[in-house]
Structure formats: structure tokens, C-alpha cells
Amino acid sequence: MKPHAEIAEVWPRDGRVRLVGHIHGHPAEGEWRLLLTRRSHAEQRLDYPAQVKGDRFEGELPVADVAAATDTAEAGIGAGVEGEGGVEGGVEEWDIHLTDGEVELRAGRRLDDIHGKKRIMVFPEQRVRGIGVRPYYTVKDNLSLECRTGAST
């Protein structure tokens, strides 16, 4: 199995998304950070400190930061126009990695024998300035954040 950041706990509340997990398949030495990469604009990144002890990590992602970076005026989200920086239906996605500055380990949950988490594990949305932010598992059981304009889901 490919090295990755194995997610054990996801806590979306109080304006943050707290992540707890283990570094799988890669030495855990050095300083690590949680890295968010905007899927539609890969050059746009946010990063936050992660605490690592042994192979265990934890860190928090401030929802307001993600909402601000997904700014509706810049992104064009909510307009439902592809090719204008937004995605059909007013949704932007941010992929989560753990990085030591040399490698980027994709955050996901693969060691639990539960496949298809996208439909099984649903997390609550937090709203900031009209943008709903919620963690979700992708079809490959990776963890990402979804930012949506408009009514909550």
C-alpha cells in the first residue's frame, strides 16, 4: 500500500476541522504540516502545523480560512460556470495532505476495510460568510473538504 496519512478521527466543529491519524508507510521524523490544495487551482494552497509523536499526528484546519480562500467573487462559485474558476453547482474542493516539505502524503482512510466511505460517512457542514465547509471522503477513500455556496446540504 502506498504511503499515506491514515485518518483515524475527523472532528468538524467550533469553526475547525480537527484531524487525528497515523503516518503510514513513511518515516515520521521532522516537522509536519497539514496541507490543503484547491483542486481547481492547484497553485492555491493553505498549510497548518501538525503535531507528530511517533507516527501519530493531529492538526486543525480553520474553516474561516478555507471559506476566505474560496472567496466567491474570485472563484466564481455559485455561478455554476465551469472554466471560470468555479465548479458546476457552486462547489470547490480542497484535497488534504500531510507534508514534511519533501513528501506529500494524501490523507485518507484505507486500513479499516470499509470501502465506499463517500456514501457511508457523512460529516456536518459549518457555514462561514455564506460558504458551507465540510469534510468528505472521496470515491478513493481520501479525505477532502467541500466548500459550497448557497443553502446548506
Side-chain angles (χ1 to χ4, degrees), residues 56-71:
R56 183 183 186 277
F57 71 88
E58 74 177 81
E60 294 183 342
L61 308 169
V63 172
D65 287 3
V66 180
T70 307
D71 182 292

Side-chain angles (χ1 to χ4, degrees), residues 1 14 19 22-23 45 47-48 75 83 93 99 102 132 140 142 146 151:
M1 180 172 293
D14 301 326
L19 303 176
H22 294 87
I23 297 172
R45 297 174 151 214
D47 70 279
Y48 303 93
E93 296 161 315
T99 183
E102 293 183 28
K140 294 183 178 180
N142 292 319
E146 174 185 85

Side-chain angles (χ1 to χ4, degrees), residues 79-93:
V81 179
E82 288 190 88
E84 294 296 321
V87 176
E88 186 74 32
V91 177
E92 279 289 328
E93 296 161 315

Side-chain angles (χ1 to χ4, degrees), residues 15-32:
R16 301 190 174 279
V17 177
R18 181 172 169 256
L19 303 176
V20 178
H22 294 87
I23 297 172
H24 179 78
H26 191 276
E29 296 108 20
E31 287 191 32
W32 290 83

